[in-house]
Amino acid sequence: MKKHALVLIIKIPSPGYSKTRLIKHLGKDLSSELSKSMIIDVINQFADIQMDEIDKYICYRCMNSNDSIELIDSQSNNSKYWIKLNINDLTISNDLGDILKSITKRLQSIYSESITFIGSDCPYIQANEWIHGMRIASNYDNAYICPASDGGYVLLTIPLKNKVTIMNIFNKIKWSSKDTCLDQIISLRENGYNIQIGFTYSDIDEYDDIIELHKYYVNNNDIAIKHQTFHFLKKINQLLK
């Protein structure tokens, strides 16, 4: 039995369905392209972690009949190292809690120590956060969470040794709210888990988030040149002024 799973949860980028809060600033096509760039950057960020005891998953949902995971596979050589799971094969629910529970149910019998969930809209996050989370979760009841500055979270590592309560930890969460991370921490504690809280990151949902990300890239060129999102932002630089 392998020990750890990393799960990247994405919606296949599609104009009109991706980064909808940015459409009024960027339009449908550019908002979708931004989403695709960030997904590929997150995949590439974790590319160097190749160990026999871990697996990496892309759990995806297509937003219309023309969407396909091939859009991501064609843009990233590293995606071939990730196992693909279509969320529609696990649940028809759109509720994030139900999606997380369905993925946990599928994977908890395959791995012995931890599952880590990450989103696709935080190009800042580094692979060492996952490594840190795996180490913490190797203890029986320790979970690890990295908050987002808007009240959500960008990474959650849960230990798998206590499988009695694990399916309850995604209950009573107000998703997409300023209290999401707090709700998740409370739920974990109510179900017997200790929590270690990591660094707070910004995710990219609003126009101001793009401006701050662009500034980050300008000040961190060694990271920027590796990121497709940086080259995308350079392309639309006139829109950012």
Side-chain angles (χ1 to χ4, degrees), residues 65-104:
S65 59
N66 295 322
D67 294 341
S68 169
I69 189 62
E70 292 178 5
L71 175 67
I72 303 302
D73 288 339
S74 66
Q75 298 290 317
S76 173
N77 290 330
N78 289 315
S79 71
K80 63 186 177 184
Y81 300 111
W82 296 63
I83 300 166
K84 312 304 191 306
L85 281 180
N86 188 335
I87 292 171
N88 290 336
D89 292 335
L90 303 177
T91 178
I92 61 173
S93 174
N94 290 319
D95 179 75
L96 181 56
D98 290 339
I99 292 170
L100 294 172
K101 282 189 279 189
S102 66
I103 296 170
T104 301

Side-chain angles (χ1 to χ4, degrees), residues 1 5-6 20 24 37 39 47 51 53 55 68 74 86 94 99 159 161 167 172 188 206 210 233:
M1 177 180 282
L6 174 70
T20 54
K24 64 182 179 181
S37 296
I39 290 169
M51 295 183 289
E53 63 187 16
D55 283 323
S68 169
S74 66
N86 188 335
N94 290 319
I99 292 170
K161 294 180 181 178
M167 298 306 294
K172 298 188 276 188
L188 284 160
E206 306 287 351
I210 299 178
L233 294 180

Side-chain angles (χ1 to χ4, degrees):
M1 177 180 282
K2 292 190 176 183
K3 293 183 178 180
H4 306 280
L6 174 70
V7 178
L8 170 62
I9 300 176
I10 68 170
K11 295 177 183 177
I12 300 299
S14 183
Y17 295 93
S18 302
K19 292 296 160 194
T20 54
R21 280 181 270 178
L22 292 171
I23 289 175
K24 64 182 179 181
H25 301 286
L26 302 181
K28 294 179 180 180
D29 290 337
L30 289 179
S31 296
S32 179
E33 188 174 344
L34 172 62
S35 177
K36 181 183 70 174
S37 296
M38 292 194 295
I39 290 169
I40 291 169
D41 286 339
V42 172
I43 290 170
N44 292 340
Q45 287 277 66
F46 292 86
D48 292 336
I49 303 180
Q50 301 287 342
M51 295 183 289
D52 291 339
E53 63 187 16
I54 67 171
D55 283 323
K56 293 177 282 189
Y57 289 81
I58 297 174
C59 291
Y60 66 94
R61 171 159 275 168
C62 297
M63 303 310 295
N64 63 60
S65 59
N66 295 322
D67 294 341
S68 169
I69 189 62
E70 292 178 5
L71 175 67
I72 303 302
D73 288 339
S74 66
Q75 298 290 317
S76 173
N77 290 330
N78 289 315
S79 71
K80 63 186 177 184
Y81 300 111
W82 296 63
I83 300 166
K84 312 304 191 306
L85 281 180
N86 188 335
I87 292 171
N88 290 336
D89 292 335
L90 303 177
T91 178
I92 61 173
S93 174
N94 290 319
D95 179 75
L96 181 56
D98 290 339
I99 292 170
L100 294 172
K101 282 189 279 189
S102 66
I103 296 170
T104 301
K105 184 177 180 180
R106 170 68 69 89
L107 300 183
Q108 66 176 341
S109 62
I110 303 174
Y111 302 93
S112 62
E113 293 200 2
S114 75
I115 299 175
T116 297
F117 294 100
I118 57 173
S120 61
D121 54 359
C122 183
Y124 301 100
I125 197 164
Q126 302 293 313
N128 60 3
E129 291 286 13
W130 179 30
I131 295 171
H132 188 54
M134 285 191 290
R135 289 172 179 162
I136 290 171
S138 62
N139 192 314
Y140 180 76
D141 56 2
N142 284 345
Y144 182 65
I145 194 166
C146 289
S149 56
D150 63 1
Y153 58 87
V154 301
L155 178 146
L156 173 65
T157 301
I158 52 175
L160 292 175
K161 294 180 181 178
N162 181 1
K163 297 184 179 181
V164 176
T165 62
I166 195 168
M167 298 306 294
N168 298 327
I169 65 174
F170 300 115
N171 295 334
K172 298 188 276 188
I173 312 294
K174 295 187 291 292
W175 302 107
S176 301
S177 83
K178 62 181 179 60
D179 296 321
T180 298
C181 186
L182 178 60
D183 286 348
Q184 186 66 83
I185 290 170
I186 291 171
S187 182
L188 284 160
R189 286 176 175 158
E190 286 179 347
N191 285 284
Y193 295 88
N194 298 317
I195 313 296
Q196 290 200 31
I197 300 174
F199 186 77
T200 297
Y201 292 88
S202 295
D203 49 17
I204 310 302
D205 291 316
E206 306 287 351
Y207 183 73
D208 287 346
D209 299 328
I210 299 178
I211 300 300
E212 291 304 312
L213 179 60
H214 187 259
K215 292 178 182 177
Y216 169 79
Y217 282 141
V218 169
N219 293 324
N220 295 274
N221 187 63
D222 56 327
I223 295 174
I225 59 175
K226 301 175 185 177
H227 278 210
Q228 187 164 320
T229 306
F230 169 66
H231 298 289
F232 168 79
L233 294 180
K234 282 179 64 178
K235 184 174 73 173
I236 66 165
N237 188 49
Q238 290 302 316
L239 293 177
L240 302 178
K241 294 181 178 177

